[in-house]
Amino acid sequence: MGQRDWQGGEGVVKVLGAMAMAAAMAGVAGQILGLSPLPDLLQKNGKKKKKVRVYMDGCFDMMHYGHANALRQARALGDELVVGVVSDEEIKANKGPPVMSMDERVVMVKSVKWVDEVIEDAPYEINEEFMNKLFTDHKIDYIIHGDDPCLLPDGSDAYAHAKKAGRYKQIKRTEGVSSTDIVGRMLLCVRDRPNETPVHASLQRQFSHGHSDKGSSAGAGTRVSHFLPTSRRIVQFSNGKGPRPDARIVYMDGAFDLFHAGHVETLKAAKAMGDFLLVGIHSDQIVSAHRGPNHPIMHVHERSLSVLACRYVDEVIIGAPWEVSKDMGEIDPYAAAKEAGIFEVIKSPRDMTTSTIIRRIFANHEAYKKRNEKKVKSEEQYYHSKTYVNGD
């Protein structure tokens, strides 16, 4: 995962007692209240209500907080959320090659705390046969999708059958983030480097602009995220609960940039060491100081929401310091934790980093260029014709 050396291999955790953590959490991550109560499962006659099961599918490639927010909205429309992860073959046929493998995408979807079940190798189109299988075998009541268009290569609606059956519901797309823009940010990491190849430069222009690179210069007009979360959004993503008085609290910090399967599995291992996992998200300034001026790819608020959506995480500290010590001038940022005997090292289960993902894109330059061109047209159509959808 790479939280201290940023390039994978090892993550670090600190296991703290409940009393020691009380002071650390005060004024930083206090308990967030105001979440909606659990639905009443009993009818007036004392019988249990039938649980409403909803289905949402997607590629979930390079999964980000926008995907997580879509799954949160979908879960709010029912009692149980079943998620279909589209197969590699279907993605290639309809959009172009995926960056992440099926295994990596499934790990990411299963880690989202609003997901109850996952169907692997789901079809891109919900045809009548698969729709009936959802209704009968998986007891699905409604099929959910965002208000952005999902068209098949022939231009038809991938959800036409669900709409005709009256079993379709729509949620609002999370604006301000997309896989296309994220790829552009990733490629900024190689801009202006002496060893940049023509392929790197072409990709950077193509993705960072979000349109064709005709007549443009590298780097000009690159989209920069100005996403700022509201307190309501943070509450929506938060668990809203603090640790029990006798809880064994585990603290883990890092950048968690371009949140991926390696992060998820290391956080899972950290959570297994205690009862309450508190995660420190390093500020943009700290990440940039240690990784370079074009890092982080996702800014601190985006990274915080991605981590908060993970089912293994109980709370986050936004803008956590690099050093976990009383004296901020220590060379070893974990010296105080080591001296106190509360320092542990977790080896990442996956050899995966942000650089790994960037290399995958470079290796398939032409395919991703074509994929991006199709995606840009779809996004332009969405913003031109979008209508208001209740919910966010």
Side-chain angles (χ1 to χ4, degrees):
M1 174 197 68
Q3 290 309 312
R4 177 54 51 189
D5 64 6
W6 307 94
Q7 288 300 310
E10 293 185 344
V12 289
V13 296
K14 280 67 64 181
V15 185
L16 311 179
M19 293 184 66
M21 273 309 307
M25 293 182 66
V28 180
Q31 185 173 350
I32 301 175
L33 302 174
L35 295 179
S36 300
L38 292 173
D40 182 9
L41 297 180
L42 298 177
Q43 293 181 335
K44 292 181 180 179
N45 58 10
K47 294 183 178 179
K48 285 187 177 181
K49 286 183 181 179
K50 175 187 177 299
K51 289 185 177 180
V52 176
R53 286 169 61 83
V54 297
Y55 173 83
M56 186 174 194
D57 62 7
C59 303
F60 303 104
D61 198 19
M62 292 190 296
M63 194 164 177
H64 49 71
Y65 68 91
H67 292 127
N69 192 44
L71 295 172
R72 180 191 65 79
Q73 292 181 75
R75 179 64 170 75
L77 295 176
D79 301 307
E80 295 177 346
L81 173 60
V82 181
V83 179
V85 181
V86 177
S87 69
D88 292 344
E89 293 72 22
E90 290 274 295
I91 297 175
K92 289 175 185 176
N94 289 277
K95 301 181 70 173
V99 178
M100 317 300 282
S101 69
M102 166 61 74
D103 171 62
E104 291 164 345
R105 292 184 288 118
V106 168
V107 167
M108 294 303 297
V109 173
K110 284 184 175 180
S111 76
V112 177
K113 59 188 175 185
W114 298 290
V115 175
D116 297 291
E117 298 175 25
V118 171
I119 298 175
E120 298 184 28
D121 293 317
Y124 191 82
E125 175 191 8
I126 299 186
N127 56 34
E128 193 167 4
E129 179 184 358
F130 182 70
M131 180 180 70
N132 290 331
K133 183 178 181 180
L134 288 176
F135 295 158
T136 56
D137 295 355
H138 298 282
K139 310 300 180 186
I140 298 300
D141 296 290
Y142 296 102
I143 294 170
I144 317 296
H145 187 63
D147 60 342
D148 52 322
C150 184
L151 303 179
L152 300 172
D154 62 4
S156 60
D157 186 350
Y159 295 89
H161 291 288
K163 291 176 181 178
K164 185 178 179 180
R167 306 280 284 272
Y168 176 85
K169 290 189 176 184
Q170 191 167 274
I171 60 170
K172 182 175 174 56
R173 170 180 170 169
T174 303
E175 298 180 12
V177 63
S178 71
S179 298
T180 304
D181 283 338
I182 291 173
V183 171
R185 299 189 216 175
M186 291 163 61
L187 293 165
L188 284 175
C189 298
V190 298
R191 189 183 68 175
D192 299 329
R193 291 183 180 178
N195 61 347
E196 181 181 302
T197 68
V199 169
H200 293 182
S202 173
L203 274 168
Q204 195 279 321
R205 289 193 296 270
Q206 177 73 11
F207 283 101
S208 65
H209 289 285
H211 53 66
S212 175
D213 61 355
K214 293 179 180 179
S216 63
S217 60
T222 299
R223 293 179 183 178
V224 177
S225 173
H226 296 290
F227 168 78
L228 293 173
T230 61
S231 59
R232 180 166 173 261
R233 176 73 79 226
I234 294 174
V235 169
Q236 288 170 338
F237 274 57
S238 173
N239 288 342
K241 296 179 181 179
R244 302 188 314 269
D246 59 343
R248 181 177 176 84
I249 299 171
V250 178
Y251 176 75
M252 185 173 195
D253 66 350
F256 298 98
D257 198 14
L258 200 63
F259 198 59
H260 54 67
H263 293 133
V264 167
E265 294 191 351
T266 308
L267 289 171
K268 181 179 179 180
K271 178 60 180 288
M273 299 176 67
D275 307 305
F276 189 94
L277 178 58
L278 175 65
V279 178
I281 314 294
H282 292 155
S283 70
D284 295 343
Q285 292 81 5
I286 287 176
V287 178
S288 181
H290 288 85
R291 290 289 294 128
N294 291 321
H295 292 270
I297 292 165
M298 310 291 284
H299 69 59
V300 67
H301 298 113
E302 296 173 310
R303 293 182 282 120
S304 296
L305 289 182
S306 291
V307 174
L308 271 175
C310 181
R311 66 174 68 250
Y312 308 115
V313 176
D314 296 290
E315 182 63 286
V316 303
I317 297 176
I318 302 174
W322 177 258
E323 300 88 354
V324 184
S325 62
K326 295 179 181 179
D327 181 2
M328 302 298 282
E330 294 185 36
I331 296 176
D332 182 354
Y334 298 107
K338 291 175 181 177
E339 185 179 347
I342 56 174
F343 176 82
E344 296 282 348
V345 174
I346 294 178
K347 186 174 179 59
S348 176
R350 289 177 181 262
D351 183 18
M352 186 177 188
T353 68
T354 299
S355 297
T356 304
I357 301 170
I358 294 176
R359 285 194 296 270
R360 292 180 187 180
I361 294 172
F362 289 161
N364 212 342
H365 167 227
E366 288 300 326
Y368 288 117
K369 183 176 180 180
K370 292 178 181 178
R371 174 178 169 177
N372 187 65
E373 288 172 346
K374 290 197 299 184
K375 180 66 175 177
V376 166
K377 291 179 181 178
S378 174
E379 290 188 359
E380 287 177 350
Q381 181 182 352
Y382 165 76
Y383 283 110
H384 178 73
S385 61
K386 71 175 183 175
T387 57
Y388 177 76
V389 177
N390 188 28
D392 61 353

